[in-house]
Amino acid sequence: MSTLFEPVSIGRLRLPSRLVMAPMTRNRATAEGLVTELTAEYYAQRASAGLIISESIQPSVIGQGYFLTPGLHNAEQTAAWRRVTDAVHAAGGRIVAQLTHTGRIGHPVLYPDNALPVAPSPIASGEQLFTPEGMIDHPQPREMTAADITDTIADFTAAARNAIAAGFDGVEVHGANGFLLHQFLADNTNQRTDAYGGSTTNRIRFVTEVVAAVADAIGADRTGIRLSPGNPYNHIEEPDPAPLYVELLTALADLDLAYVHLVEGGDRELTTKLRAAWPGALILNPHPTPEAFPATVDAATEALESGVADAISLGALWLANPDLDARIQAGAPFNTPDQATFYGGTHIGYTDYPSLA
């Protein structure tokens, strides 16, 4: 029976606990996609996590989907992230970079050439982008060509190498939450008739090719993937996710990845099926029932004790409690997350949450 504060091996990393900090976009990068000293302070404050998974980082210009999010596709961005990883390591922590291409969840105003966002099929998200001037509709994206697919895989690979050069301990490929890889998996966003659309085997192809390329570039033992089966976020429709995700995990098992990171969508039966299909380490963001949002420490403990997960990721609790592990162990109260300061802004609601000490 595992507990939150037992050590665990995740790929080449030996984590001192099974309590992981989930990736959380904070929109505090510069307009050039550079993280700042404030970012370094934020992550270093939370270095007592067994593992930190960074906020979403775009692997290319066209991969950006929101204002003030960081990149890892040029030398300046890579150098900026090195200050963050150095701060985390100096504080005794471990951190991996989450690489995220948002696909159709993008907009021409984000790109220097006003290009259309790209997607598996030319189907608009129906969502909107927040801008300083107000909300604007996402446009119909451009369908990716075979050359686009090849280039995007190369972008992920280059960004993964940049992550290692920046001092990250590994990379998590974001295949969840309605972003590009998830768009290839879901049949409502993938209407292709070539080798990347139609059957489940075809719809998982792009995801497996991206992950295989990243693993080949930096090592499978420091490569993970995040998945959110059945998650409707960003207008994704997956009414019967089990067959596709079982096939995907079976295919990924051959790569011997460091971990799979599952965002549970209120269906523990589905999670159990996927756990059975995945032979490696599994990090779970636990929501065992539709009412179990946001994830709690009780849900984390139950998932570990039941054996459905090897480690647990929590989000908002880490955001508001830089010493979350110490608070759990002491039975101390938690700071309350301030949703008004989640995205953008200054140090307020970012680095000013108090620790017990």
Side-chain angles (χ1 to χ4, degrees), residues 221-256:
D221 60 352
R222 52 184 178 187
T223 302
I225 184 170
R226 193 181 209 213
L227 301 170
S228 59
N231 184 356
Y233 188 64
N234 284 323
H235 280 189
I236 291 292
E237 296 176 10
E238 292 180 307
D240 184 23
L244 182 141
Y245 283 92
V246 166
E247 184 172 346
L248 174 61
L249 290 176
T250 301
L252 292 175
D254 293 337
L255 300 178
D256 198 22

Side-chain angles (χ1 to χ4, degrees), residues 152-353:
T152 302
I153 294 171
D155 288 338
F156 269 98
T157 304
R161 291 194 177 103
N162 286 344
I164 300 306
F168 282 100
D169 298 298
V171 162
E172 177 176 287
V173 176
H174 200 343
N177 292 10
F179 298 130
L180 181 64
L181 273 66
H182 201 180
Q183 292 160 26
F184 270 88
L185 296 174
D187 50 11
N188 76 307
T189 48
N190 184 347
Q191 298 292 309
R192 302 177 72 94
T193 57
D194 62 1
Y196 292 91
S199 67
T200 55
T201 299
N202 285 355
R203 282 188 281 128
I204 70 172
R205 189 183 310 277
F206 178 67
V207 176
T208 56
E209 287 181 353
V210 168
V211 176
V214 169
D216 185 60
I218 66 169
D221 60 352
R222 52 184 178 187
T223 302
I225 184 170
R226 193 181 209 213
L227 301 170
S228 59
N231 184 356
Y233 188 64
N234 284 323
H235 280 189
I236 291 292
E237 296 176 10
E238 292 180 307
D240 184 23
L244 182 141
Y245 283 92
V246 166
E247 184 172 346
L248 174 61
L249 290 176
T250 301
L252 292 175
D254 293 337
L255 300 178
D256 198 22
L257 301 178
Y259 67 86
V260 164
H261 182 189
L262 276 185
V263 182
E264 191 171 36
D267 185 349
R268 180 53 58 87
E269 182 179 355
L270 173 61
T271 302
T272 302
K273 289 180 182 178
L274 300 180
R275 164 79 274 190
W278 176 246
L282 189 141
I283 302 172
L284 185 68
N285 189 235
H287 308 102
T289 67
E291 297 77 28
F293 288 83
T296 65
V297 173
D298 286 345
T301 301
E302 185 277 328
L304 283 177
E305 291 179 349
S306 71
V308 77
D310 299 296
I312 295 295
S313 70
L314 297 174
L317 282 173
W318 272 114
L319 182 154
N321 297 276
D323 58 347
L324 179 62
D325 57 325
R327 288 175 182 268
I328 293 172
Q329 289 177 305
F334 300 139
N335 298 323
T336 301
D338 177 12
Q339 295 191 25
T341 58
F342 277 6
Y343 306 111
T346 64
H347 71 287
I348 298 172
Y350 192 48
T351 58
D352 65 342
Y353 283 105

Side-chain angles (χ1 to χ4, degrees), residues 60-64 107-118 142:
S60 61
V61 171
I62 200 68
Q64 184 172 2
H107 198 284
V109 299
L110 295 167
Y111 315 128
D113 57 359
N114 292 312
L116 285 172
V118 297
R142 178 174 65 81

